[in-house]
Amino acid sequence: MHKFIKISTLLFLGVFQSITAQEKDKDSIGTETVTVVKAYKPTVSDAFKIKSVPQINDSIVLKKKPIVYSINSVPVASTFTPAKGKAATVDKVPPPILYNSYASLGFGTYDNVLADFYTSRTISRDERLDIGLTHHSSRGDLDSIALKNAFYDTKLVAAYTKGDSDLNWGANLGLQHQLYNWYGVPIGAYSDEIINGIDAKQNYFNAEISGYVNMDNAYLERGEALIRRFWDATKSGENRAMLKGVAQFPIGDENIRIKGKLDYLGGVFKNASLNSTVNTPEINYSLFQVGVGPSIEILRDDLTLNLGVNLVFGLDSENSDSNFYIYPDITASYRVLDETVIAYGGIQGELIQNSYYDYVESNPFVSPTLTVQPTDQKYNAYAGIKGQLLPSLSYNLKASYKTENKKPLYKWNPENTFRDDEKGYYYNNSFDVFYDDVKTLGIFAELNVDIKRNFSLGLNAEAYTYSTETDNPAWNLPKVTSSVFLDYQIDKQWYMGATLFYVGEREDLQASVVQNANPVDFPSTIVTLNSYWDTNAHLGYRFNEQLSVFVKANNIANSNYMRWANYPVQGFQLLAGATYKFDF
């Protein structure tokens, strides 16, 4: 009994403590902070592979039967002999045959004649002599013109060059004879008697000697020299002597360049300006320039920058006038995107030495009664982008703003019935040079395609606006011009090409001389010259390396447009000829 009481008592105390502990824990539940000392990193145990190959206890498995064989050798006669190995070869393309001379001759409508001859002789390893002769003439008349419009242009050029690794130089000799007619007199403008008495023929002659020298690893980088004599059939002419040079001095990582020039121009016109009723006095001019242009060239990874200035002293000894000019000479280019986008720009100025020779080259119908003055181009600021969009496609976009004082403009000479000069250029059929201060804003765009040298296409267009000091139009300057050039090598024998030109409207002034009056008071009328298209094409065929024939078509639209006032051009022209290459 005591034992039972003792066991019951122990059970009762155990149950009571358990209940008490549960109630105590239930009342004291709180928050605890657990700090993880090391992040959990699970691992994967390697699997156990069965290494022993199980044996199959199957009575159906077939056992391999051993095979016993023997070889019986039988002699066989053979006549085959293996050839020795030989490396494959590349087919050789024969080099093109080069000839040192060629001659070309062609005849066409309007009695057009085209002749060209060229030869290049190697004197020694580093000496060469080149000789070229060209001739172009026409004797065809125009139905709307009262005077003959025949012309010809013959030019002979000889060039001698010599060079080695550090020095090369050359000397050139040029002779030229040009014949033109002041044919700008419409039918019916004057009586037959006056027309028959007009001597409208003009001859130009040019003789010049020039040379150059290029030196490597020397301070003097390049030098040029020119001596020219130019004259005409009216006993007017000019002399020009020019010397230019460029020196370069490296300073650290940069280059200092210095450009220098000496330029003399002097001449005389035996006849007075057509604004005068009397042919006296003659016009003399003597102009001299000395220029120095230092600049520094800065080259970086994608940037090329030239910072310079152009200093020029100009002397007009006939008028006892001299001036000192300072011009900017700054250019820059930056590769924005490799060869795809290249930004460029600059602001430059110069004193341009105009000459009678240059005026005739631009307009052969000027009268020998000009005033020759230099042009003060204060600055020519431009900016643009260019690049290579594709390996065969390039582009160029440019905007410019130019300020020029005494810019030469070709203006119609007034009709002067008071003059009786030896030559007939005073019937409102010649041009004068009018100097004006002109500001020009221009936009230029160009696109070129060149595919493996077999096909090339070029397009360009220009648009300009002009502002003159005299408030006159910019005489004979078009506001819009464009051109297209095409060359296509069809195959080894056939080739072709084409050109297309567009020139916008121009303005000129028709006037008549009045005694005892200033030129601005002459009775005059502004004349607008129509815009025009000029389309030309040529087609050729090569029989072999030496002989080829060609056909040229000019002014395909057969438009009698006027390049200058009262000067219509020839209509549709067709010319055919042949070219022969040979060793001379």
Side-chain angles (χ1 to χ4, degrees):
M1 184 69 179
H2 288 286
K3 187 178 179 178
F4 173 78
I5 294 172
K6 201 178 281 188
I7 293 171
S8 299
T9 304
L10 292 173
L11 291 172
F12 175 78
L13 291 174
V15 172
F16 178 78
Q17 286 179 355
S18 174
I19 294 172
T20 304
Q22 290 179 1
E23 290 179 353
K24 184 177 180 180
D25 295 337
K26 184 177 181 180
D27 294 338
S28 61
I29 294 176
T31 59
E32 293 185 3
T33 301
V34 178
T35 302
V36 178
V37 177
K38 185 177 181 181
Y40 174 67
K41 293 182 179 180
T43 59
V44 179
S45 301
D46 293 336
F48 293 100
K49 298 179 181 179
I50 300 176
K51 297 182 180 180
S52 61
V53 179
Q55 295 183 358
I56 302 175
N57 297 322
D58 193 346
S59 60
I60 301 177
V61 177
L62 298 177
K63 295 182 179 180
K64 294 182 179 180
K65 184 179 180 179
I67 299 175
V68 179
Y69 61 91
S70 61
I71 299 174
N72 296 325
S73 299
V74 177
V76 177
S78 176
T79 59
F80 172 75
T81 302
K84 296 181 179 179
K86 186 178 181 181
T89 60
V90 179
D91 294 336
K92 295 182 179 180
V93 178
I97 302 175
L98 301 177
Y99 299 94
N100 64 9
S101 306
Y102 76 86
S104 181
L105 184 63
F107 301 92
T109 56
Y110 293 95
D111 293 335
N112 284 337
V113 177
L114 181 65
D116 192 2
F117 171 78
Y118 172 80
T119 183
S120 179
R121 305 299 303 273
T122 300
I123 301 174
S124 64
R125 183 177 179 180
D126 55 0
E127 292 179 285
R128 191 179 68 191
L129 177 64
D130 299 332
I131 298 176
L133 176 65
T134 60
H135 172 83
H136 184 205
S137 63
S138 176
R139 298 183 180 277
D141 294 329
L142 298 175
D143 295 336
S144 60
I145 296 300
L147 300 174
K148 293 182 178 181
N149 66 314
F151 76 90
Y152 72 76
D153 186 355
T154 303
K155 188 173 184 179
L156 173 65
V157 176
Y160 171 81
T161 58
K162 182 177 181 179
D164 53 30
S165 59
D166 296 327
L167 173 68
N168 65 84
W169 63 276
N172 304 319
L173 170 66
L175 303 173
Q176 187 177 14
H177 177 206
Q178 297 172 287
L179 181 147
Y180 288 93
N181 281 271
W182 290 291
Y183 67 86
V185 178
I187 291 178
Y190 298 95
S191 65
D192 293 341
E193 182 181 358
I194 294 177
I195 294 296
N196 293 332
I198 297 177
D199 182 7
K201 186 182 298 184
Q202 170 67 302
N203 287 273
Y204 299 110
F205 305 92
N206 181 62
E208 64 180 53
I209 299 175
S210 62
Y212 69 90
V213 58
N214 294 321
M215 289 178 283
D216 296 332
N217 303 321
Y219 292 126
L220 181 61
E221 189 177 79
R222 181 176 176 84
E224 299 178 27
L226 170 69
I227 298 177
R228 174 188 293 142
R229 170 62 181 174
F230 181 75
W231 71 102
D232 64 16
T234 64
K235 300 180 181 179
S236 298
E238 69 179 11
N239 301 313
R240 186 169 189 179
M242 182 171 55
L243 184 64
K244 291 183 178 181
V246 178
Q248 181 172 281
F249 305 90
I251 297 180
D253 296 333
E254 318 300 346
N255 289 326
I256 302 296
R257 294 169 62 92
I258 299 178
K259 297 183 294 184
K261 73 171 182 178
L262 297 173
D263 193 348
Y264 168 77
L265 178 70
V268 58
F269 292 102
K270 292 296 184 179
N271 301 286
S273 170
L274 286 181
N275 291 321
S276 174
T277 57
V278 295
N279 193 12
T280 55
E282 64 184 23
I283 303 173
N284 292 276
Y285 56 97
S286 180
L287 305 169
F288 181 70
Q289 293 183 14
V290 179
V292 178
S295 64
I296 181 172
E297 183 182 45
I298 300 174
L299 300 177
R300 295 297 181 264
D301 293 338
D302 296 315
L303 175 67
T304 301
L305 179 63
N306 287 281
L307 301 175
V309 63
N310 190 11
L311 309 175
V312 182
F313 173 76
L315 173 64
D316 184 352
S317 59
E318 284 294 329
N319 298 313
S320 301
D321 185 22
S322 62
N323 287 285
F324 183 74
Y325 305 88
I326 301 177
Y327 300 105
D329 188 9
I330 301 172
T331 61
S333 65
Y334 180 74
R335 297 180 183 273
V336 180
L337 188 61
D338 294 332
E339 297 294 330
T340 305
V341 180
I342 300 175
Y344 67 95
I347 176 169
Q348 297 174 295
E350 61 177 321
L351 186 64
I352 302 174
Q353 187 79 291
N354 299 310
S355 67
Y356 185 29
Y357 172 84
D358 296 329
Y359 292 151
V360 171
E361 287 292 299
S362 300
N363 184 354
F365 309 112
V366 293
S367 62
T369 60
L370 308 178
T371 301
V372 178
Q373 297 179 10
T375 297
D376 176 17
Q377 186 181 92
K378 291 186 174 299
Y379 60 86
N380 178 17
Y382 58 91
I385 57 173
K386 62 181 179 180
Q388 199 90 9
L389 295 177
L390 298 172
S392 59
L393 179 63
S394 61
Y395 70 95
N396 187 8
L397 301 173
K398 182 177 70 173
S400 62
Y401 184 76
K402 187 186 303 182
T403 296
E404 298 171 289
N405 290 347
K406 296 183 180 179
K407 180 180 177 64
L409 304 174
Y410 297 106
K411 186 172 70 70
W412 216 350
N413 265 321
E415 180 185 23
N416 193 335
T417 58
F418 303 96
R419 296 285 285 268
D420 57 354
D421 300 9
E422 180 183 356
K423 296 290 184 178
Y425 48 78
Y426 43 84
Y427 294 95
N428 210 195
N429 60 335
S430 64
F431 295 87
D432 190 16
V433 175
F434 179 81
Y435 294 92
D436 203 345
D437 297 345
V438 182
K439 296 180 180 179
T440 306
L441 177 64
I443 299 175
F444 171 79
E446 182 180 36
L447 191 66
N448 290 297
V449 180
D450 191 354
I451 302 176
K452 296 181 179 180
R453 297 184 179 180
N454 291 331
F455 177 85
S456 60
L457 174 67
L459 306 93
N460 63 69
E462 296 176 282
Y464 299 101
T465 58
Y466 307 99
S467 175
T468 63
E469 182 69 20
T470 60
D471 292 330
N472 292 321
W475 305 118
N476 277 297
L477 289 183
K479 295 181 180 179
V480 178
T481 62
S482 65
S483 59
V484 179
F485 303 91
L486 168 67
D487 281 302
Y488 180 41
Q489 184 70 41
I490 303 172
D491 54 28
K492 292 183 178 180
Q493 283 76 36
W494 291 96
Y495 62 93
M496 64 167 294
T499 57
L500 175 64
F501 300 97
Y502 173 78
V503 178
E505 293 183 346
R506 291 92 61 218
E507 294 174 300
D508 209 328
L509 187 69
Q510 186 176 21
S512 299
V513 175
V514 177
Q515 282 186 318
N516 302 322
N518 292 324
V520 294
D521 297 325
F522 293 164
S524 59
T525 303
I526 294 180
V527 177
T528 300
L529 303 178
N530 295 329
S531 60
Y532 64 87
W533 292 91
D534 192 342
T535 307
N536 311 291
H538 67 270
L539 178 67
Y541 179 81
R542 296 186 180 92
F543 291 98
N544 49 48
E545 294 290 339
Q546 290 184 269
L547 180 63
S548 62
V549 294
F550 59 87
V551 177
K552 295 184 178 181
N554 295 329
N555 196 4
I556 297 176
N558 195 28
S559 173
N560 292 325
Y561 63 84
M562 294 186 184
R563 174 64 183 90
W564 306 101
N566 273 2
Y567 277 85
V569 300
Q570 295 175 347
F572 175 72
Q573 306 157 46
L574 191 65
L575 184 142
T579 300
Y580 183 72
K581 299 178 182 179
F582 58 96
D583 283 325
F584 179 71

